[in-house]
Amino acid sequence: MTKTAILGYGTVGSGVAEVLCGHADSIARKADGPIALKYICDVRDFPDSPYQDLFTKDFSVIERDPEVGIVVETIGGIGVALDFTRRCLRAGKSVVTSNKELVAMHGYELTHLAAENGVCYLFEASVGGGIPIIRPLTQCLAANDLLEITGILNGTTNYILTRMARAGAPFAEALKEAQANGYAERDPSADVEGHDACRKICILASIAFGRHIYPDQVPTEGISHITPTDMDYAEQSGRKIKLLGRAVLMPDGTVSACVGPHLVDLENPLAGVEDVFNGITVRGDAIGDVMFYGRGAGKLPTASAVVADVIDLARNREHRKPLLWEKGGPDAVSAQPMATRWYVRAQTRPEELRTALGGGQLLARRGNENGETACITAGALTPEELRQRLGALQPLSVLRVLD
Ligand code: HSE
């Protein structure tokens, strides 16, 4: 019998309890024995919860209980979650988490701490909600040298962009809907300013390319400045605007990564990833491109990934190998920011803009009578090269283009 505890009874934690208890019989078959939920730790009271007997406000009860072999951390954030995770690992308990902020910032330390204590730190749910992506990267695609990862990694912003494109919904209204559905972070600026997607691409890049990549090493831009005008130009050019996280292995072994809104051609499968769904394309040298798609946020999809990690640990208790990568550092990332083509919108005459950009494709828009124009650059440029080309021209909007 495996005994578990849940730290943090929020959206994901309550989903984990529901899935663990609701699917107990089938989980017992898959885990080679029953998995019992022994404690739920939260400082709040939940008088209506069906798990009344399991609640404790005292984490040390769990820490000191030798029967608890696996702890699920769904507190989120760094402070208490980091402290409790370290203490669980030191106490010889494996930890499963959906906490992308913690893994992106402290994944190197925590995976190594787990290994030193003969246990595991698993985090399938930290990227892509219910989509299997960590295990495919480490196991199913293990034969490949991985070259590139490009993904729609944030359900809230994808939901907002979809609602803005389809219904012309204002940004604030679409955000409220996403929050009401339990997709958004407590502080939704982490979603709309791209920080959540940044944490996720850092986790994927660390696993895929073998060295820890930190969020402050990845240039990150959100979607709050996207306007209906940009949506219109994108549509007229046969593209959609998507918030993408990208990480590319460079020839010198460094990683070039960025997060920001991109114009994505309708023929690219990522353009068809709508609403709260996430989509992640991974390029390997043997397999070529492979894509992962599914619900990237929400209570039960995320709980699905957490519980799968718990089952994996229960099943492979004695021989589950730890998931590890090497230390990060300034030399892990490329000195040169990523070069892409760019969409530029400016209050200027079309030929003036095109000449400034050194050529490119001018875009049309229905009912454009503001004297503004938009153009997609002919070739890939770094942000600095683009800035030099624009010179004194003040663009209204600048977005990357995914090729
Ligand atoms: N706020 C996140 C999102 C939750 O919208 O994708 C899942 O990580």
Side-chain angles (χ1 to χ4, degrees):
M1 159 88 75
T2 303
K3 299 222 170 157
T4 63
I6 296 172
L7 311 180
Y9 193 66
T11 304
V12 180
S14 59
V16 171
E18 192 176 321
V19 172
L20 265 180
C21 300
H23 297 180
D25 290 344
S26 67
I27 287 174
R29 278 197 304 279
K30 292 169 199 161
D32 268 355
I35 299 180
L37 178 58
K38 186 165 182 184
Y39 303 104
I40 300 173
C41 182
D42 203 300
V43 288
R44 298 165 293 179
D45 292 312
F46 296 92
D48 300 329
S49 163
Y51 312 108
Q52 275 315 310
D53 301 346
L54 307 184
F55 278 94
T56 175
K57 291 186 170 59
D58 182 1
F59 164 73
S60 68
V61 170
I62 297 167
E63 185 184 23
R64 284 188 272 107
D65 187 337
E67 278 193 346
V68 174
I70 303 170
V71 176
V72 171
E73 182 271 299
T74 45
I75 301 168
I78 302 281
V80 174
L82 175 59
D83 179 37
F84 287 1
T85 300
R86 283 179 176 148
R87 287 166 61 180
C88 286
L89 296 173
R90 287 192 189 116
K93 302 174 194 308
S94 287
V95 176
V96 172
T97 191
S98 58
N99 186 340
K100 49 263 159 134
E101 193 175 355
L102 191 56
V103 181
M105 290 299 297
H106 295 276
Y108 171 77
E109 175 206 325
L110 294 172
T111 50
H112 285 258
L113 182 61
E116 283 161 23
N117 286 281
V119 290
C120 289
Y121 183 55
L122 297 186
F123 41 86
E124 180 64 66
S126 66
V127 182
I131 306 171
I133 180 65
I134 307 288
R135 206 163 267 100
L137 284 179
T138 54
Q139 294 180 11
C140 317
L141 299 175
N144 289 260
D145 281 343
L146 298 175
L147 305 171
E148 181 172 339
I149 301 174
T150 299
I152 294 171
L153 299 169
N154 183 269
T156 301
T157 45
N158 205 41
Y159 184 89
I160 291 171
L161 290 171
T162 303
R163 296 282 295 132
M164 287 173 75
R166 276 199 199 146
F171 176 85
E173 188 186 303
L175 173 59
K176 264 197 202 132
E177 283 177 31
Q179 285 174 305
N181 285 321
Y183 305 147
E185 298 300 306
R186 249 172 299 177
D187 169 9
S189 68
D191 296 298
V192 299
E193 299 309 335
H195 304 304
D196 179 72
C198 174
R199 291 164 189 152
K200 291 167 177 168
I201 197 68
C202 286
I203 295 170
L204 296 181
S206 301
I207 290 170
F209 305 127
R211 291 192 63 187
H212 197 109
I213 305 294
Y214 288 94
D216 65 0
Q217 296 180 298
V218 178
T220 296
E221 202 186 299
I223 63 160
S224 53
H225 60 294
I226 305 287
T227 65
T229 308
D230 296 317
M231 289 274 172
D232 257 14
Y233 273 120
E235 190 186 337
Q236 296 297 314
S237 74
R239 295 176 174 89
K240 287 204 177 136
I241 299 177
K242 295 288 180 190
L243 181 70
L244 299 182
R246 298 191 66 200
V248 180
L249 183 67
M250 305 304 282
D252 65 359
T254 61
V255 174
S256 179
C258 72
V259 171
H262 286 64
L263 269 68
V264 179
D265 195 289
L266 289 181
E267 287 188 5
N268 187 315
L270 288 172
V273 177
E274 298 278 57
D275 295 310
V276 71
F277 285 84
N278 284 191
I280 305 161
T281 306
V282 178
R283 183 168 299 164
D285 63 345
I287 195 170
D289 283 351
V290 57
M291 186 167 164
F292 301 85
Y293 170 83
R295 287 184 189 279
K299 177 174 167 170
L300 294 180
T302 310
S304 155
V306 171
V307 174
D309 275 346
V310 173
I311 294 171
D312 182 356
L313 286 168
R315 209 183 142 76
N316 302 298
R317 199 169 325 188
E318 305 304 330
H319 33 261
R320 180 68 169 80
K321 287 268 186 291
L323 188 53
L324 294 173
W325 56 85
E326 299 298 316
K327 213 181 179 103
D331 60 337
V333 295
S334 170
Q336 190 78 307
M338 192 181 290
T340 57
R341 290 201 297 153
W342 298 85
Y343 155 94
V344 180
R345 178 165 64 87
Q347 196 86 37
T348 180
R349 289 198 305 280
E351 277 316 316
E352 201 176 318
L353 180 60
R354 186 153 66 171
T355 306
L357 295 175
Q361 175 201 357
L362 286 167
L363 304 184
R365 184 167 80 90
R366 269 189 303 257
N368 174 13
E369 65 276 320
N370 299 336
E372 59 166 48
T373 188
C375 186
I376 290 181
T377 61
L381 303 168
T382 64
E384 177 55 22
E385 287 166 343
L386 178 67
R387 204 183 56 75
Q388 283 175 9
R389 294 227 175 149
L390 287 172
L393 205 71
Q394 295 282 332
L396 297 167
S397 180
V398 172
L399 305 174
R400 288 181 182 269
V401 176
L402 179 69
D403 282 311

